[in-house]
Amino acid sequence: MADVAPLWATVVLPVTLTGAALATAAFHAVLAGRPASPRALARDAAAPVREGLRLLAQQPRRTPAADTALLRVGVVLVPVAAVLAGAVLPLGATAVADPPVGVVWFNAMEALAWAAVWLAGWGPNSALSLIGGYRFLAQGLAYELPHMFALTTAALGAQSLRVGAIVDAQESLWFVVWMPVAFAIYLASALAMSFWGPFDRPTGSDLAGGAAAELSGVDRLALLGGRWLLLVVTAAFSVPLFLGGGHGPWLPPWAWTLVKTAVVLAVLGVVRQRLPALRMDRYVELAWLVLVPLVLLQALVVAVLVLIP
């Protein structure tokens, strides 16, 4: 069971997640730029900060007959949902909250972000933006079921929905060793949840930015920054689910959590560079016909092993 952090940790959490999101964005910018000199490396690493400052100073624009209230609710909910999902993330043996249904809470906040992106696409009253929002719905319907079963498989292995209990159950053996399919499917759905890498069709260039096409200034910063927060939170949640949380030799638990999270984010960053964007119909077909049966089979194997005395 994870220890509950003091009240001030609720203020530190969003700051920490924002810093991790900036670091992840900087790492991706360096990978994409492939700098040939230390000066170019520093320039590429600072690109996310420069872009954020540019968006903060940018004048907002609006499309005719836009539903501004609905748009604002959507773009604000994306980072808010990511931070709320991060409340159950344990740093070593400490979390802001460790409720008995922590896995359910995490998945519910992901669903909230799912709805938020659709609202952000609907609000501007723009065809391309609306198509991007609907793409995210279609993508979400395809990945949410295998994602949910992957979460359930980890909870089944620990026989608990409490995140702290799942970490405790991996003291002698990490779940990734006997749940590799669930782990791989979870990571793929983490990319899809943040509409990132091969799953970036909701904000694809073929739609001039899709759900973010008509957003500018702070609105655009909130949506796209929220995407990086979602990536960090979903990647970090794989650590307590499948990688043993803070368990490991020599280093303190909090350090192991940070190291494992950094490795997962680095792997996902490399995957983004190597894999092309997937067509929506291809991904939907893959999810329903391949990923769902595979993760159900993985859950069945885990259930049998858990029942064996």
Side-chain angles (χ1 to χ4, degrees), residues 142-143 146 181 185 188 283 285-296:
Y143 77 71
V181 175
I185 289 175
Y283 175 66
E285 183 179 5
L286 173 69
W288 289 110
L289 299 182
V290 179
L291 298 186
V292 170
L294 279 178
V295 75
L296 283 174

Side-chain angles (χ1 to χ4, degrees), residues 42 61 71 79 95 122 124 152 177 191 212 245 281:
R61 64 174 186 270
L71 184 152
W122 177 279
T152 304
V177 176
L191 289 174
D281 58 322

Side-chain angles (χ1 to χ4, degrees), residues 77-164:
L77 272 180
V78 176
V80 168
V83 172
L84 290 176
V88 295
L89 281 174
L91 180 61
T94 305
V96 171
D98 189 26
V101 290
V103 173
V104 177
W105 169 265
F106 180 82
N107 197 218
M109 294 304 101
E110 289 183 312
L112 183 62
W114 182 25
V117 176
W118 181 80
L119 288 176
W122 177 279
N125 190 34
S126 165
L128 296 179
S129 178
L130 182 61
I131 292 172
Y134 273 112
R135 276 185 177 181
F136 194 63
L137 283 184
Q139 184 170 289
L141 287 170
Y143 77 71
E144 179 59 30
L145 201 57
H147 178 75
M148 182 180 66
F149 282 129
L151 290 170
T152 304
T153 302
L156 182 63
Q159 302 182 62
S160 176
L161 291 170
R162 187 189 297 274
V163 179

Side-chain angles (χ1 to χ4, degrees), residues 9 23 45 76 90 109 112 138 140 143 151 214 222 246 252 263 303 305-306:
V76 169
M109 294 304 101
L112 183 62
Y143 77 71
L151 290 170
E214 304 297 341
V263 170
L305 292 175
V306 167

